Amino acid sequence: RHLEVDVAGMGAALVDGDRRPWEGRAIVGTPRTPTPGLSSLVEHVVLAPYWVVPESIARAEIRPRLARDPGYLARHHMERLPGGTLRQRPGPDNPLGPAKLIFDNPFGVRVHGTSAPSLFEARVRAFSHGCIRVEDPLALAAQLLPDLTPDEIAATVATGTDVWVALDEPVPIHVVYWTARVDADGTLRLRPDFYGRDRALARALGLDAPS
């Protein structure tokens, strides 16, 4: 059993043998802030998570707005921690949505929900700073936390207090970038190479770049 995030396909699935008990569309990083490939182990699910604003985003986006608008933090349910770190409290406008998955990686990447579900309707869903936003993260959480019912998970989220829940057994996660893939029925699926990785590989091998 493992969680598979297909960046080029902009989708994610929990794979258990020949079954996929959860799958959905995903939002991935832009070409300027691409989602990295990685393998790790999901060890915790955080329900009603805080969003600790990365320093790069705080410096480039939030602090300039705060300088022009002193009420910005209060309106967006944000707070300043000792040392100057900014974080947003759990709630409907939190960009992590109702849940996030924690797995060790050197990129600071997480899988989480979103406060902007309308973006899932886009054909090319490359909007994030590198993290992976998924549809219906509470359904995924229910698959990873079988000791909690969906109603218990929803009630925990409704408290608005972040709760870390350890998985009984860590679940492998693989974040891949497959621009070519074969379906179970043998159909070849080709995806746009919006990160330009196929072209870079072709050049490194001395081949003509794919069209």
Side-chain angles (χ1 to χ4, degrees):
R1 192 168 76 133
H2 65 277
L3 181 62
E4 174 189 295
V5 178
D6 182 359
V7 176
M10 292 167 286
L14 183 64
V15 181
D16 191 354
D18 60 357
R19 299 187 308 112
R20 293 189 168 214
W22 174 90
E23 62 182 324
R25 293 173 290 187
I27 293 168
V28 298
T30 70
R32 292 186 62 184
T33 57
T35 297
L38 61 91
S39 289
S40 187
L41 292 172
V42 178
E43 297 184 297
H44 291 84
V45 175
V46 184
L47 303 175
Y50 282 98
W51 179 43
V52 178
V53 182
E55 178 57 28
S56 58
I57 297 176
R59 183 175 57 251
E61 301 179 22
I62 295 180
R63 290 199 180 100
R65 295 172 185 168
L66 182 58
R68 298 189 300 268
D69 178 6
Y72 180 88
L73 294 185
R75 281 201 316 279
H76 290 85
H77 309 103
M78 303 180 79
E79 54 197 16
R80 195 192 308 270
L81 301 178
T85 298
L86 302 176
R87 75 176 183 181
Q88 188 172 39
R89 292 187 290 277
D93 56 349
N94 185 300
L96 302 185
K100 72 174 178 180
L101 310 186
I102 301 295
F103 46 94
D104 185 52
N105 69 93
F107 310 104
V109 168
R110 300 285 183 258
V111 172
H112 57 76
T114 180
S115 59
S118 62
L119 294 179
F120 287 115
E121 301 304 322
R123 186 178 64 85
V124 178
R125 297 181 292 279
F127 300 117
S128 83
H129 289 85
C131 284
I132 301 133
R133 311 174 200 168
V134 296
E135 287 186 295
D136 203 354
L138 294 186
L140 174 57
Q143 291 290 333
L144 297 175
L145 304 173
D147 293 338
L148 296 177
T149 67
D151 286 345
E152 289 172 330
I153 290 173
T156 300
V157 171
T159 66
T161 302
D162 69 323
V163 175
W164 287 54
V165 185
L167 274 64
D168 290 337
E169 182 177 347
V171 172
I173 178 173
H174 305 293
V175 181
V176 299
Y177 183 79
W178 287 330
T179 54
R181 179 171 187 151
V182 178
D183 289 346
D185 64 0
T187 302
L188 175 64
R189 304 289 184 186
L190 301 178
R191 282 80 169 267
D193 178 24
F194 52 86
Y195 287 171
R197 292 177 180 169
D198 288 349
R199 294 188 295 274
L201 178 60
R203 287 194 299 270
L205 295 174
L207 305 173
D208 292 335
S211 58

